[in-house]
């Protein structure tokens, strides 16, 4: 049975006060499409204002520290995200794995801290082009999933498959490659969590746009999207919500 689609924007290091009108417009469009779960992960500095600009809409963060508090200059913990009004967080994005040297074990600790606190949590995985060219994509991502998955309550867990070579490049993985990888991730989820692993939503990310979203959402085991560039403006993001709404029309939602 298909899961309700989850479409999340990742604003990365973009967004100041002038962009709040986009948050409001996206939230209003999402409210008109109740068949789809939607959210925006904005910079930490914008969370509280985004929540005020979009009451009732899911606003999230892009990282969280694995500890509850302490001497960690520059870091933000789960309680602070809740305090600011966030209800969602992304962990283990490839940009953080790369520039902040986050390892699978760090990502897992962050996911466990986030889920423990009650934040919906998206764990990101994905291979480099060199790994794909070497024919190691499925093995590499499967190992990443195994080592990054939280050993905690997973009711609010999602996984995002984001091939690094497809992020911000305009290149999208082929439907066959996405299907193969999402099936492999589903297998790892079921191995880790049993039947509950079938209810964890698996999002695709990497150059998702209004023009390619319908094709991506039609792939088996694609339960949503994690969207970078095309989430910054309502005019670009709303067509992706529309594609998700069309994909689930008539399909009973269980998530
Ligand atoms: P783009 O949609 O800009 O390729 O970014 C994808 C991504 O990294 C979302 O987390």
């Amino acid at each position: 049975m298909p899961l309700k689609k989850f479409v999340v924007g990742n604003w990365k290091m973009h967004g100041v006060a002038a962009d709040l009108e986009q948050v409001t417009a996206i939230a209003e469009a999402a409210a008109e499409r109740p068949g789809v779960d939607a959210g925006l992960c904005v910079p930490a500095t914008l969370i509280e204002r985004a929540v005020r600009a979009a009451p009732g809409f899911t606003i999230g963060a892009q990282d969280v520290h694995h500890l509850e508090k302490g001497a960690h200059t520059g870091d933000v913990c789960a309680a602070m995200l809740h305090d600011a009004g966030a209800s969602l967080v992304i962990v283990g994005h490839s940009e953080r794995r790369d520039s902040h040297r986050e390892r699978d074990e760090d990502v897992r600790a962050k996911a466990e801290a986030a889920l423990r606190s009650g934040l919906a949590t998206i764990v990101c995985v994905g291979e480099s082009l060199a790994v794909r060219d070497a024919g190691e994509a499925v093995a590499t991502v499967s190992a990443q999933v195994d080592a990054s998955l939280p050993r905690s309550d997973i009711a609010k867990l999602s996984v995002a498959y984001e091939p690094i070579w497809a992020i911000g490049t305009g290149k999208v993985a082929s439907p066959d490659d996405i299907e193969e990888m999402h099936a492999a991730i589903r297998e790892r989820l079921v191995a880790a969590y049993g039947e509950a692993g079938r209810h964890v939503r698996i999002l695709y990310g990497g150059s998702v746009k209004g023009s390619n979203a319908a094709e991506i959402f039609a792939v088996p085991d694609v339960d949503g999207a994690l969207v970078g560039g095309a989430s910054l403006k309502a005019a670009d993001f709303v067509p992706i919500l529309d594609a998700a709404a069309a994909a689930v029309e008539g399909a009973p939602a269980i998530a």
Side-chain angles (χ1 to χ4, degrees):
M1 195 183 292
L3 306 178
K4 187 173 180 181
K5 296 272 192 276
F6 191 22
V7 181
V8 177
N10 173 10
W11 275 22
K12 308 190 179 183
M13 202 165 70
H14 302 282
V16 292
D19 301 301
L20 289 168
E21 61 189 39
Q22 298 299 324
V23 176
T24 303
I26 287 169
E28 285 173 0
E32 289 163 6
R33 292 157 180 80
V36 177
D37 287 333
L40 282 181
C41 292
V42 298
T45 48
L46 212 55
I47 290 172
E48 191 163 350
R49 283 175 288 165
V51 169
R52 272 197 243 117
F57 184 64
T58 298
I59 296 294
Q62 302 166 12
D63 181 45
V64 64
H65 198 277
H66 71 282
L67 294 175
E68 287 177 13
K69 61 181 167 188
H72 303 285
T73 302
D75 282 318
V76 172
C77 65
M80 292 170 180
L81 297 181
H82 281 286
D83 188 49
S87 52
L88 169 68
V89 66
I90 297 168
V91 295
H93 193 284
S94 59
E95 287 153 13
R96 292 201 62 86
R97 288 178 185 262
D98 181 37
S99 63
H100 293 260
R101 309 266 182 279
E102 291 187 7
R103 302 158 301 172
D104 291 332
E105 64 211 75
D106 304 316
V107 174
R108 175 177 160 182
K110 286 171 183 237
E112 288 174 351
L115 289 165
R116 219 173 20 245
S117 80
L119 289 168
T121 303
I122 301 172
V123 172
C124 299
V125 293
E127 83 285 359
S128 65
L129 190 56
V131 164
R132 177 153 289 272
D133 286 346
E136 300 289 333
V138 169
T140 299
V141 171
S142 297
Q144 255 181 353
V145 171
D146 286 347
S148 304
L149 284 180
R151 296 286 179 266
S152 49
D153 182 355
I154 56 154
K156 292 186 178 179
L157 173 69
S158 303
V159 173
Y161 168 55
E162 299 201 303
I164 295 167
W165 47 272
I167 294 176
T169 59
K171 291 185 195 150
V172 185
S174 72
D176 284 350
D177 286 344
I178 297 175
E179 180 170 356
E180 179 188 38
M181 190 64 82
H182 281 226
I185 293 172
R186 179 69 66 205
E187 198 182 295
R188 302 320 305 153
L189 286 166
V190 171
Y193 305 125
E195 280 308 296
R198 297 197 189 283
H199 300 274
V200 175
R201 290 185 282 199
I202 307 174
L203 318 184
Y204 170 80
S207 299
V208 177
K209 299 192 264 301
S211 55
N212 58 27
E215 187 181 23
I216 293 167
F217 290 142
V219 174
D221 266 322
V222 172
D223 308 310
L226 187 54
V227 184
S231 70
L232 296 172
K233 301 271 182 232
D236 295 326
F237 195 57
V238 173
I240 300 173
L241 296 179
D242 279 336
V248 295
E249 237 161 58
I254 59 170

